[in-house]
Amino acid sequence: MDLPVEGAYVPCMEFDGEGTNLMVMLLNRDQNSLQLYKVNPGSTVAHLVLSEKSEAWLSPSAYQMVRYYPKSFVIGSERSGYRHLYEYDYNGNMLRQLTKGDWNVTNYYGRDPKTGLHYVQTTQNGPINRNVASVDSKGRITVLNDIDGTENAWFSGNFDYYLRKYSNAVTPPVYTICNSRGKSLIDIESNREYAAKYSSVPKMEFTTVPNAEGEAMNACLIKPADFDSSRRYP
């Protein structure tokens, strides 16, 4: 293939949404410069579609968050200082920024072809939380289950349903089948016996502490089960 691969990595490679061209990513050794090429597998000719650079480095959690659709593709980027999704056509024109705000997209599940809704995992409810949410054509975010903790989702092919995994500091993983609006339909595994078995262990408490620059840093604290506030502890 007609690609400038000298001294570069190929971290990702897959076909476009039509299954016609091969989308090949090239990453330099310093991992701060990324190029995405559209390659015709018949002629082997490559066209540069997207280029991104960083003064530090490019996170794989961003650029590997990519989905190729028939007319466009969606890819993650941290160019704004936060990890968000951007949509491009196959000529390299940015169509729109799908998500924006002072929070991160931590997973991208894909787009429902019927409704056009995109489904993501976000830190919109705070950096220690992970919530599944939908994004409409105007960039409006709807958190499907507005609750503290960590959610993961595995969607059906038609995006009508998803398997939801939820847990928090005091709740072991709970698995549920939900519809695309986040409504619980069937409990698969609640882990109630496991939760009861460990109900008496010390609970984790979340707080924030200032760093040297005065910024609030997230922290957690686990106290002894028989904690006595009148005593001093190491």
Side-chain angles (χ1 to χ4, degrees):
M1 290 184 288
D2 181 23
L3 287 166
V5 295
E6 186 70 27
Y9 296 105
V10 181
C12 299
M13 177 170 57
E14 59 184 293
F15 279 102
D16 64 12
E18 297 281 7
T20 303
N21 294 298
L22 202 57
M23 307 299 294
V24 183
M25 290 185 185
L26 294 185
L27 187 68
N28 68 339
R29 291 282 174 175
D30 289 337
Q31 299 184 38
N32 61 2
S33 179
L34 178 77
Q35 285 81 41
L36 176 63
Y37 287 88
K38 177 178 67 176
V39 185
N40 184 307
S43 66
T44 72
V45 174
H47 296 280
L48 181 64
V49 175
L50 176 66
S51 179
E52 184 160 6
K53 294 184 178 181
S54 170
E55 293 182 0
W57 77 299
L58 296 168
S59 171
S61 300
Y63 62 76
Q64 290 183 1
M65 194 183 295
V66 62
R67 294 287 188 282
Y68 298 104
Y69 301 107
K71 302 300 180 184
S72 64
F73 65 93
V74 173
I75 190 169
S77 171
E78 296 179 347
R79 68 189 66 167
S80 69
Y82 293 89
R83 189 182 308 146
H84 285 293
L85 297 174
Y86 300 79
E87 184 175 11
Y88 291 83
D89 65 22
Y90 285 103
N91 292 318
N93 301 307
M94 192 178 85
L95 303 178
R96 59 181 175 139
Q97 182 177 345
L98 288 175
T99 61
K100 60 182 64 175
D102 296 345
W103 44 270
N104 292 302
V105 173
T106 46
N107 206 339
Y108 176 46
Y109 302 115
R111 181 181 68 192
D112 185 336
K114 302 184 298 298
T115 64
L117 291 173
H118 295 261
Y119 289 92
V120 297
Q121 182 194 59
T122 82
T123 63
Q124 193 176 14
N125 283 353
I128 66 172
N129 295 308
R130 300 288 184 273
N131 294 96
V132 177
S134 63
V135 186
D136 68 12
S137 59
K138 296 183 179 180
R140 289 179 297 220
I141 307 289
T142 301
V143 175
L144 302 187
N145 288 280
D146 196 359
I147 188 171
D148 290 347
T150 297
E151 287 185 301
N152 289 287
W154 293 266
F155 280 84
S156 60
N158 59 10
F159 282 85
D160 286 346
Y161 307 97
Y162 70 95
L163 173 64
R164 175 181 182 250
K165 176 186 176 184
Y166 169 74
S167 65
N168 62 26
V170 297
T171 305
V174 175
Y175 296 86
T176 311
I177 298 294
C178 301
N179 63 19
S180 58
R181 297 181 299 279
K183 181 181 178 181
S184 177
L185 302 177
I186 303 171
D187 291 333
I188 302 298
E189 176 58 69
S190 62
N191 273 320
R192 289 190 185 93
E193 293 181 359
Y194 183 87
K197 182 178 179 180
Y198 293 96
S199 61
S200 60
V201 301
K203 302 297 188 295
M204 185 178 294
E205 299 177 14
F206 293 95
T207 184
T208 58
V209 294
N211 65 9
E213 288 74 38
E215 299 171 319
M217 305 293 289
N218 290 291
C220 63
L221 180 66
I222 302 177
K223 299 175 182 177
D226 58 350
F227 177 75
D228 182 352
S229 60
S230 65
R231 288 181 52 196
R232 290 179 61 85
Y233 289 84

